[in-house]
Amino acid sequence: QVQLVESGGGLVQAGGSLRLSCKTLLSIFSQYAMGWYRQAPGKQRELVALITSSGWTDSADSMKGRFTVSRDNAKNTVYLQMNNLKPEDTAVYYCAAGYRRGGSTWQIAYWGQGTQVTVSS
């Protein structure tokens, strides 16, 4: 049963923009930080950005300034706005719902099915 439904991936040229969306159930959206990870071929899955219900964000340094995570509480939806995309941003992007208990590592309770983002040079 799919709990997180993603959309917005696709093919874009370098320098272009995409916006990913992820909609989920209120019961998940209200309890967890929401956001995005990505996994490129041959690489480990990595954090892109997460946003808590209060609006606090955690994001990878390499993507700050180009990627912005936001959430619409009325729509139970989290977004990832990606600007100035580079070929190295090519990956499967996964929506995630998670939490953190005092440490620095996020625990992910739910994953989306993933959406492909391909950036051509």
Side-chain angles (χ1 to χ4, degrees):
Q1 185 176 359
V2 178
Q3 307 278 18
L4 281 65
V5 180
E6 300 141 335
S7 61
L11 174 65
V12 64
Q13 288 188 332
S17 298
L18 281 176
R19 189 176 81 155
L20 306 183
S21 301
C22 173
K23 186 175 178 62
T24 187
L25 303 171
L26 175 61
S27 59
I28 294 173
F29 194 81
S30 62
Q31 291 187 58
Y32 295 96
M34 298 292 302
W36 303 88
Y37 283 69
R38 72 183 186 183
Q39 188 167 18
K43 295 187 177 181
Q44 289 189 331
R45 194 171 296 190
E46 62 176 348
L47 171 70
V48 176
L50 285 163
I51 182 169
T52 67
S53 57
S54 61
W56 182 83
T57 62
D58 185 16
S59 59
D61 289 340
S62 61
M63 291 168 251
K64 288 179 179 177
R66 297 191 300 124
F67 291 8
T68 303
V69 64
S70 61
R71 59 193 288 161
D72 185 334
N73 294 331
K75 296 181 179 180
N76 301 341
T77 300
V78 62
Y79 303 98
L80 182 67
Q81 178 66 44
M82 304 184 290
N83 298 326
N84 190 23
L85 282 159
K86 304 175 182 180
E88 52 264 41
D89 294 318
T90 295
V92 178
Y93 284 71
Y94 294 91
C95 183
Y99 61 92
R100 199 160 63 179
R101 293 285 185 262
S104 61
T105 302
W106 289 97
Q107 305 297 320
I108 302 303
Y110 297 94
W111 291 102
Q113 76 278 12
T115 185
Q116 177 70 45
V117 171
T118 303
V119 185
S120 63
S121 58

